[in-house]
Amino acid sequence: MTAVCVMVLGTTSGAGKSWLTTALCRHYARQGLKVAPFKAQNMSNNARVVAGPGGALGEIGSAQYFQALAANAQPEVRMNPLLLKPEADTRSQVVLMGQVSEELSPMPWRGRSEKVWPAITAALEALREENDVVVIEGAGSPAEINLHASDIVNMRIARHAQARCLLVTDIDRGGAFAHLYGTWALLPEDERALIKGFVLNKFRGDATLLAPGPQMLQDLTGVPTVATLPMWWQHGLPEEDGVFDDRTLASGAVQTTIAVIAWPRISNLDEFQPLKNVPGVRLVWARSPADCAGADWIVLPGSKATVADLAWLRAQGLDQAVAEHAALGGAVLGICGGLQMLGEALIDTHGIDGNAPGLGLLPLVTAFDPQKTVRHTQARFSALAGPWSALSGVETAGYEIHHGQTAQHPAMAAKGDVAREVIPGLAWQNAAGNVLGCYLHGLFEDPRVLHALFGASAPTLESVFDGLADFLQSHVEPGVLDALIQPD
C-alpha cells in the first residue's frame, strides 16, 4: 500500500488550511478509505499528547491531533514529526518525533531543516505504507521565496510525495485573485504542475459576482477554481494559532462571563473551544484590566513562557485585576502555567524558564525541571468549596505538558497556610474556595465537567467533523474530491 497524497496549501497563514485538511480527512474516511493526516513542521503552542515510538508518549500540534480523529485514526507523532513551540520572537523549543530536542532547539533554522529532513520523510513514507490516503497540510505560504531553498513543509514535501495540491485563499481579506496568481507565479514550473485547484474561502455575498474572475485566473494559470466556500463562523473546530474573535457568545442570555488572559505565549488555547457553544456563556480574551471588568471567572491559561508571560501580566496591570477579583470572592482558575503563576514563587535552577515571585493567591511553589512531563491523566476531584463545588467528586480526563513541578510552600505550610489538594499532585484550592489551580489540560473538553459546571453540553467532535465534511462536499465542484485520489 502506497497512499495517494492530497495536500492543502495556503496563500497566507489563516487562509483555512487546517480546517480544510480536517474536512478532507473526514470526507475520505467516510468513503471507507484508510486515512492519515500529516504536517511536516508545525509552529504552535497548542499541542496534544499522543502515542510515540515504542509506546512512549510525545507531542504533536493540536491541528494534527484533531485531523487524526477526523480521519478515524489514532493520533501519533509521525503525523507531525517536527513541532516548534515558540518561547520568544526568535526562539522556539524544538520537538522532533514527539520529544524535545536539546540539540536542535538552539540551532539556526536553515541549518536545522536539512538535519530533520530524513526523519520527516521517514515519517511520511511510513504513513503512506499503512494508508490509502494521506492528507498533508502546508504552512504559511509556499511562495516565501526567501525560505524556499530551506523549505521542508510546503513544496519540498509536495514534490517528494507528488501530492495533488489545493491552494486556498481567504477572500474576505481582499486581493484573493492576486494572492492565488502571485503564489502560483512565484513557484517553479514543476511545482506549479502539482496545483490541481484553487479554493476561495470565507466568501460572503453573491457568488455570481465573482465572474469572470475564476475563468480569467484559469486562463492565466491553467488551474481551475474548484470551490467557493462561504464564510462560516461556527464550524466548531478550535482555532489553531490565534485567540477567538468577538463571536464568542453562545445562544441564550449571558449567565456567565469568562475572561481568559491572552498573554503573548498562550498555549493550548484550543481547550476553551467547547465554551463557545455552551448556552449562556460569553468568552472574553483579556489583554487589559478593563477586559476583566464584570467577569464571573478569570482564567489564567497555559503558557509556553511562564515567567515572561507573568512579567507581561504585571506590566499590563492585570495582576492587580486578578487579585482584586479574587479578594471579592470571584472565581479564578489557573491551568498549567496559570497554576504556576498563582503560587508564591517560580524557581528555576536549570535555566529553563526563569525565576519570579508568583501572584500569591495559592500557597504553592513551582520548581522547573529539565524533564518534561507529557502524559494522559485520569483523575477525580475530591470535595471542593465555593464556586468550584460543582466539581466535587467529578471524574475527568485530560493531558499534562509541563516542566514545572508544584508543591506546598514549605514556610507557609509550617505556619498552617496550606492549599487544599483536590487532585493529588495536580490541583489545589485556596481556603476561601474561589481560587483553583490545576495541571490538567482539557477540562472543558470533558462532557462530565461541562455538565457539572453549566448543566450543558457542547457539540461532539464527531458531529463537528461530519459537519465540516458535509460543508466541503456541498461547495466543491462535483467530482473534484474523487479525482484528487485517482491514479494518474
Side-chain angles (χ1 to χ4, degrees), residues 29-41:
R30 293 200 303 194
Q31 312 309 306
L33 300 169
K34 191 174 182 184
V35 182
F38 181 81
K39 185 167 185 174
Q41 175 183 284

Side-chain angles (χ1 to χ4, degrees), residues 435-459:
V435 179
L436 175 66
C438 184
Y439 265 120
L440 202 59
H441 287 290
L443 283 176
F444 302 119
E445 296 172 336
D446 191 323
R448 296 166 293 185
V449 170
L450 286 182
H451 186 267
L453 290 172
F454 304 105
S457 60

Side-chain angles (χ1 to χ4, degrees), residues 18 45 48 96 106 114 139 196 200 235 255 287 338 341 382-383 390 397 416 425 453 457 465 472 484:
S18 294
N45 278 330
R48 296 286 170 140
L96 180 64
E114 287 306 313
K196 306 302 181 182
L200 299 171
H235 54 63
Q255 299 173 354
R287 299 179 181 85
M341 294 185 196
S382 63
L453 290 172
S457 60
F465 297 146
L472 178 63
L484 287 174

Side-chain angles (χ1 to χ4, degrees), residues 313-389:
L313 184 85
R314 289 186 162 116
Q316 310 310 309
L318 280 160
D319 58 330
Q320 189 63 32
V322 174
E324 290 173 358
H325 179 81
L328 293 172
V332 176
L333 173 64
I335 301 174
C336 197
L339 155 68
Q340 296 166 356
M341 294 185 196
L342 290 174
E344 294 290 337
L346 298 98
I347 299 172
D348 183 3
T349 59
H350 301 283
I352 296 167
D353 201 296
N355 300 286
L359 299 176
L361 296 180
L362 288 171
L364 305 172
V365 62
T366 295
F368 292 107
D369 192 312
Q371 185 65 38
K372 195 175 193 179
T373 299
V374 178
R375 63 190 176 200
H376 297 289
T377 302
Q378 297 189 20
R380 180 193 291 270
F381 286 99
S382 63
L384 284 87
W388 305 108
S389 60

Side-chain angles (χ1 to χ4, degrees), residues 22-23 26-27 30 70 72 232 235 460-473:
T22 308
R26 175 48 58 101
H27 171 80
R30 293 200 303 194
N72 296 325
W232 188 18
H235 54 63
T460 66
L461 282 173
E462 284 300 301
S463 67
V464 169
F465 297 146
D466 283 334
L468 290 171
D470 290 343
F471 178 80
L472 178 63
Q473 193 168 356

